[in-house]
Amino acid sequence: MGGDSVRISIRQQLGAGICLLVFYALALSLLMIDHNLSENYEEKVKADSVAAADSLARNIAQFINNTNIMNQMIASYPRLQELPREEQQQLLAGTVKRYPWVQLMTISRLDGTEIVRSQGYRATNVDRPWFRQFMHAGKPSLSPMFYSLSSTLPAVALTSGIYDEQGKLAGVMMSDINSAALQELVDSYAVGEGREVYLLDSDGTIATYPQHTRMEELYNYRTLKRQHLMRDVDGGVLRDHEGRFAIRQEPFDVDPEFLTLVRKTIAGEDGVREYRDADGERYLCAYRSVEFAGLDGRWSLLVVQRYSDAMEYVQQSLRQSLWIMIAVLLFSLAVTIWWAGHFTRPIVALAQTAKRVKAGDLSVRVPLTAKNELGYLERQFNAMIESLEQNRQERLAASQKIKRLAYHDSLTGLPNRVQFRLFLKRQLRRLQKGVVVFVDLDQFKYVNDTFGHSAGDRLLVQVSRRLVQAAGDKAFACRLGGDEFMVVLTDETALADIAARADAIVQALAQEYKVSGRVLRISASVGIARYPEDGNTVEELMRKADTAMYRAKNNGRNCWKLYSEE
């Protein structure tokens, strides 16, 4: 190096000094944005949690109140107890079918013996919790959670009195609500941003639980004990000598701070608070009491959200801001000597725009001041804002499209295989009888090979319309894929009705089709399987309906066959 000294030019000094000032200015801006955005967004998250809890509480109350109105309407049916038992059973069974979230209805005498139930064998209800609660309260009541005798799953019961013409209590009407219906209702609110919903009955027992694997157990937050049914080695539920379920109770642990909020809610308090779990994780909890008009019993609702998930938007925005500001700093290093006098104003405008963007205002734009690199940065920042706005709209559109594509056939618009399996699985749990119809077009490959796949697609659209019309308004029709269709009949289970409906389908599909100026004829082979006679699982019924369809093809096509073991 010798005696030479390292010289730093005025330009370099000016550039370094201005860049240092810019660095401090940007860092300060980032801190201010972090403070303002975090504080405002945290208040917004709290307000959103409170609004979600209030809305869900109203929906739960409306759900229970509507079911209670239905229960009281049936209880006040004219001369209900004087009707023949068969008509009483038909009335209850029809009501359960019309309201799928009600899994059982019963009419009992005042001594607890059942007169009639919507399905299954009659029982004695004198020891059932819902019966004891009604007889004690003497008015319509909503029971705590209990194990249903009909499904062995947790349920809740609505009870109403049946009165004679003199206004004297003569019996008890009970509607058994499956806890899965309540779970489905709260699940619609427990999505996104780590949100969980806890719904407790009047005794402090969980009615819906974020972990669905625990739905068969009853967790009581008053006693801190959980109940579950005892089972034998084959999985069957054990009962005592009087036919009651054998139930085991075990203690369970709860985070102390969360338990404090649960007890506040059970005591009737409303509010929103933060708490930490045993691992130090922060949570935001909005808690509400759920009141039911005209019913004995108050429930509790807690909407819990992990703080880090709720504030993820803020963290992501800050990371984006950091990268933007780093880019601005590097850019300023390159042009500060020549454009120092003009650089500060655009940077301030950029920082102000970033602040508004992070506050959620995507309508703001950076004013364009030049056509050089700084102008390019301004345009790119505006493009980023426009991209954010466009992405928000595209995500919404994509979400709706994905949901439809997941459950519907894109060509015919009919439900697809996935929705068919979900529908049939629900029907197998809900209904005692039904029919699965497998429809396969005859010689459809000839149409594709001769007239092209576009003609085949147009033909499939016409076939789907005729199939839906021939199957009837109460049938469920779907396209499995290719030239295969499925129909589920739930109201036509007699052989004569099945034959008539199958004939209608075969005849409707065998009519002429006008496709691309041509008149085509095509037929269908139809296989039919019934449940529970031919199976009680989706796979078994589809396989046996498919076997019956091939028998129809082997029998000359353009006909239908019932499945048989022969």
Side-chain angles (χ1 to χ4, degrees), residues 136-314:
H136 175 75
K139 62 179 182 178
S141 301
L142 177 65
S143 77
M145 299 296 294
F146 63 94
Y147 284 109
S148 172
L149 292 176
S150 62
S151 66
T152 71
L153 294 174
V156 62
L158 278 165
T159 52
S160 300
I162 302 174
Y163 297 89
D164 57 21
E165 294 181 351
Q166 287 73 36
K168 183 179 180 181
L169 182 65
V172 180
M173 169 71 67
M174 186 277 290
S175 293
D176 191 347
I177 302 175
N178 193 331
S179 61
L182 291 171
Q183 186 71 54
E184 183 177 352
L185 176 61
V186 302
D187 282 349
S188 63
Y189 284 78
V191 295
E193 300 181 344
R195 184 176 292 164
E196 297 179 342
V197 175
Y198 296 81
L199 180 62
L200 285 70
D201 66 17
S202 55
D203 280 352
T205 300
I206 284 285
T208 64
Y209 208 95
Q211 289 81 13
H212 291 192
T213 56
R214 300 185 179 183
M215 285 180 60
E216 295 185 2
E217 301 175 326
L218 296 178
Y219 287 76
N220 190 296
Y221 278 76
R222 287 184 187 270
T223 63
L224 295 183
K225 291 185 178 180
R226 69 182 181 96
Q227 298 181 5
H228 60 91
L229 299 179
M230 299 178 64
R231 299 180 182 271
D232 57 26
V233 294
D234 297 324
V237 177
L238 297 177
R239 299 173 184 261
D240 60 19
H241 64 281
E242 296 182 358
R244 293 173 297 192
F245 291 137
I247 297 176
R248 174 178 295 170
Q249 289 192 358
E250 298 174 348
F252 68 95
D253 296 327
V254 182
D255 291 323
E257 293 188 25
F258 178 67
L259 182 59
T260 299
L261 297 181
V262 171
R263 288 173 174 169
K264 285 179 176 290
T265 312
I266 293 176
E269 295 186 24
D270 296 345
V272 56
R273 285 183 57 182
E274 291 185 19
Y275 73 92
R276 294 182 182 270
D277 63 10
D279 297 327
E281 184 77 31
R282 292 177 65 189
Y283 289 85
L284 185 66
C285 178
Y287 47 95
R288 291 286 180 274
S289 296
V290 184
E291 303 281 353
F292 306 108
L295 289 174
D296 185 34
R298 178 183 63 208
W299 284 23
S300 305
L301 176 68
L302 297 95
V303 178
V304 179
Q305 191 172 22
R306 187 181 291 106
Y307 188 86
S308 59
D309 292 336
M311 300 299 290
E312 175 61 24
Y313 169 77
V314 176

Side-chain angles (χ1 to χ4, degrees), residues 429-445:
R429 290 196 301 262
R430 188 170 63 90
L431 300 180
Q432 295 180 346
K433 288 187 176 183
V435 178
V436 175
V437 181
F438 197 117
V439 180
D440 186 273
L441 301 183
D442 300 325
Q443 302 298 333
F444 179 71
K445 184 176 183 298

